């Protein structure tokens, strides 16, 4: 059974304090690894897709990386507006439509 | 551009009543997905459609749940009869297969069954 585990469950950072979120996955034939951001009361907002080990993608203060067993979301010099829940999801081979989500990391960035 | 549209945004109903949730995908997208999110189980895929045809409904929890997509711009998720354990946030998402694997989510419907 496909499984995605995220850690930590919650993370509190000071503004400017860089850190990383972890996503471990067990998927038969990974097709893609996805990162989403979810704000309270809203739907998940797409951030990145990674397809192969060694791949990296960046967007503003966020950088996502992928290995054969896990993915990291690095947050550099975070700001309060980066506070959200970050979700990781994996899709297996074939059409890549069935996403298995982790339970998320709730990030709070304080002044 | 309009994103995925869902209605209603909030629904409160009593146990045993029929509930219908609605979704309008992003125009031109050929895949549509229904998810359920709870604190205990996180985000779970219920069913998805390709070109209005149901492809995989293995995530639908029980026969009380049904989903339809009568045309490319509209889908419904129906629960009949509803039970308190159905209380959750239900999301609809859509995808354009020619532009990648990314799924784009709507704002969700928060369902409370009393």
């Amino acid at each position: 059974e496909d499984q995605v585990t995220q850690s930590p469950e919650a993370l509190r950072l000071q503004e400017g304090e860089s850190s990383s979120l972890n996503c471990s996955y067990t998927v038969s034939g990974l097709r893609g690894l996805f990162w989403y951001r979810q704000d309270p009361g809203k739907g998940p907002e797409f951030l990145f897709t990674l397809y192969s080990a060694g791949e990296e993608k960046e967007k503003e203060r966020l950088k996502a990386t992928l290995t054969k067993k896990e993915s990291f979301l690095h947050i550099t010099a975070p700001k309060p507006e980066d506070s959200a829940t970050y979700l990781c999801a994996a899709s297996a081979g074939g059409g890549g439509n069935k996403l298995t989500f982790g339970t998320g990391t709730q990030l709070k960035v304080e002044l | 551009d309009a994103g995925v549209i869902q209605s209603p945004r909030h629904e409160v109903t009593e146990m045993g009543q029929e509930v219908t949730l609605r979704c309008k995908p992003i125009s031109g997208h050929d895949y549509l997905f229904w998810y359920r999110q709870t604190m205990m189980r996180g985000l779970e895929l219920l069913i998805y459609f390709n070109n209005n045809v149901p492809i995989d409904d293995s995530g639908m929890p029980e026969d009380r749940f049904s989903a339809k997509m009568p045309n490319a711009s509209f889908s419904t998720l129906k629960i009949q009869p509803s039970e308190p354990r159905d209380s959750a946030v239900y999301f609809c998402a859509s995808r354009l297969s020619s532009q990648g694997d990314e799924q784009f989510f709507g704002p969700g419907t928060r369902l409370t069954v009393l």
Side-chain angles (χ1 to χ4, degrees):
Chain A
E1 182 183 339
D2 297 340
Q3 206 163 10
V4 175
T5 304
Q6 292 188 246
S7 62
E9 289 186 9
L11 181 63
R12 182 170 289 186
L13 299 174
Q14 296 296 312
E15 185 176 13
E17 179 186 3
S18 301
S19 188
S20 297
L21 313 183
N22 177 263
C23 170
S24 299
Y25 61 90
T26 305
V27 175
S28 299
L30 180 75
R31 174 183 171 97
L33 191 292
F34 304 81
W35 283 98
Y36 284 84
R37 168 189 172 132
Q38 187 173 24
D39 292 296
K42 297 190 176 182
E45 175 189 346
F46 170 74
L47 293 173
F48 305 108
T49 309
L50 302 167
Y51 288 104
S52 56
E55 188 176 1
E56 299 183 353
K57 288 193 176 174
E58 288 188 65
K59 181 180 179 180
E60 296 181 353
R61 295 175 293 282
L62 302 177
K63 183 170 78 172
T65 61
L66 181 65
T67 72
K68 290 186 177 181
K69 294 183 178 180
E70 56 193 351
S71 177
F72 293 93
L73 185 66
H74 306 278
I75 304 176
T76 302
K79 297 182 178 182
E81 52 262 43
D82 295 322
S83 298
T85 296
Y86 290 86
L87 298 169
C88 169
S91 67
N97 289 299
K98 297 187 72 172
L99 296 187
T100 300
F101 277 86
T103 51
T105 293
Q106 192 172 358
L107 174 66
K108 184 167 178 62
V109 182
E110 299 173 330
L111 291 169
Chain B
D1 289 340
V4 175
I5 298 172
Q6 293 186 246
S7 65
R9 294 295 314 280
H10 302 272
E11 177 82 34
V12 180
T13 190
E14 293 191 348
M15 183 174 64
Q17 296 298 305
E18 178 179 296
V19 175
T20 300
L21 311 181
R22 297 171 175 81
C23 175
K24 177 179 169 57
I26 295 172
S27 178
H29 280 198
D30 53 347
Y31 280 87
L32 183 140
F33 307 82
W34 282 101
Y35 287 87
R36 178 171 68 176
Q37 187 175 41
T38 62
M39 289 293 293
M40 290 297 295
R41 300 176 66 89
L43 204 56
E44 300 175 290
L45 177 65
L46 300 177
I47 184 172
Y48 75 92
F49 297 81
N50 177 219
N51 292 324
N52 314 337
V53 176
I55 302 300
D56 189 331
D57 66 354
S58 59
M60 296 285 261
E62 300 173 31
D63 291 344
R64 299 184 296 105
F65 286 69
S66 62
K68 294 182 179 179
M69 192 166 185
N71 57 63
S73 58
F74 183 67
S75 177
T76 61
L77 178 67
K78 186 176 293 187
I79 308 173
Q80 165 63 17
S82 58
E83 296 183 3
R85 59 194 168 118
D86 301 331
S87 297
V89 182
Y90 291 82
F91 289 103
C92 177
S94 69
R95 172 191 163 214
L96 180 59
S97 58
S98 62
Q99 289 192 354
D101 293 348
E102 298 82 13
Q103 298 179 18
F104 297 92
F105 284 77
T109 295
R110 180 174 294 278
L111 173 65
T112 302
V113 183
L114 302 175

